Amino acid sequence: MSFNLNRTQFVNAEMAAALIQVQHAIYPVTLVVEVTEEPGDQDVSLSQLQEQITAFAAHGIQFSLDDVSTGDNRYAQIKPLLPLASELKFAMQNFRTEQRAKEIQPALQFWRQVAEQYNLRLIVEGIENADDEQLLDQLELPFRQGYYYGRPHLFDY
């Protein structure tokens, strides 16, 4: 199960305590906390992020970097966090919205190499059609999500 937070929310002590409680309640299901590309309303240092990632990991919570190659989640900014991550998420739809569709394939190749180097899952979001699926088949990227496969729905427990 995944939960998205900006950087300010990610290092917030009350949020952290609540997420740790959730992880204990849903065990053996694993909670993955995704840090979005959006800046928070406060400056958050790399050391603060690293400290919180380590604290979450001690409780079985995994760390994900959401929407890599956009916003605050560009390679240069997140490189120090990669050894602590479990997964990367690449949003094809963000590239399309930003009129950067031609950059999708080379960016995916780059992030595939990064994921392999750090032994991370690379999840590709925004799969909208058979052409997208064919590209991901060609690049051998198995983890995918998007409207092509179905609309999101509420978790039923």
Side-chain angles (χ1 to χ4, degrees), residues 1 3 13 22 34 53 64 92 104 110-111 130 138 146 148 152 155:
M1 181 165 48
F3 198 84
V22 167
E34 300 177 20
I53 295 165
S64 174
M92 293 175 75
I104 290 174
F110 172 78
W111 287 107
Q138 179 185 16
Y148 182 68
F155 181 67

Side-chain angles (χ1 to χ4, degrees), residues 97-141:
T97 301
E98 296 172 359
Q99 309 303 313
R100 299 170 53 203
K102 291 180 181 180
E103 297 175 35
I104 290 174
Q105 184 170 349
L108 280 170
Q109 290 170 321
F110 172 78
W111 287 107
R112 183 184 66 192
Q113 290 174 343
V114 171
E116 288 172 1
Q117 178 183 353
Y118 290 94
N119 195 31
L120 306 173
R121 293 182 301 272
L122 175 58
I123 301 170
V124 183
E125 305 172 299
I127 294 39
E128 297 176 358
N129 54 49
D131 290 339
D132 290 345
E133 185 173 56
Q134 184 179 14
L135 172 63
L136 298 180
D137 287 345
Q138 179 185 16
L139 295 173
E140 299 177 350
L141 295 170

Side-chain angles (χ1 to χ4, degrees), residues 13-75:
E14 290 176 27
M15 179 65 73
L19 291 172
I20 289 167
Q21 280 187 316
V22 167
Q23 177 57 71
H24 291 294
I26 66 172
Y27 182 83
V29 174
T30 300
L31 180 62
V32 179
V33 179
E34 300 177 20
V35 173
T36 65
E37 76 284 6
E38 302 151 357
D41 58 357
Q42 301 171 7
D43 287 333
V44 175
S45 70
L46 278 173
S47 62
Q48 287 176 288
L49 291 170
Q50 291 164 325
E51 186 177 312
Q52 189 60 63
I53 295 165
T54 302
F56 280 149
H59 293 278
I61 298 171
Q62 295 183 4
F63 170 66
S64 174
L65 287 156
D66 193 26
D67 296 349
V68 293
S69 276
T70 58
D72 283 350
N73 282 351
R74 296 183 187 272
Y75 181 72

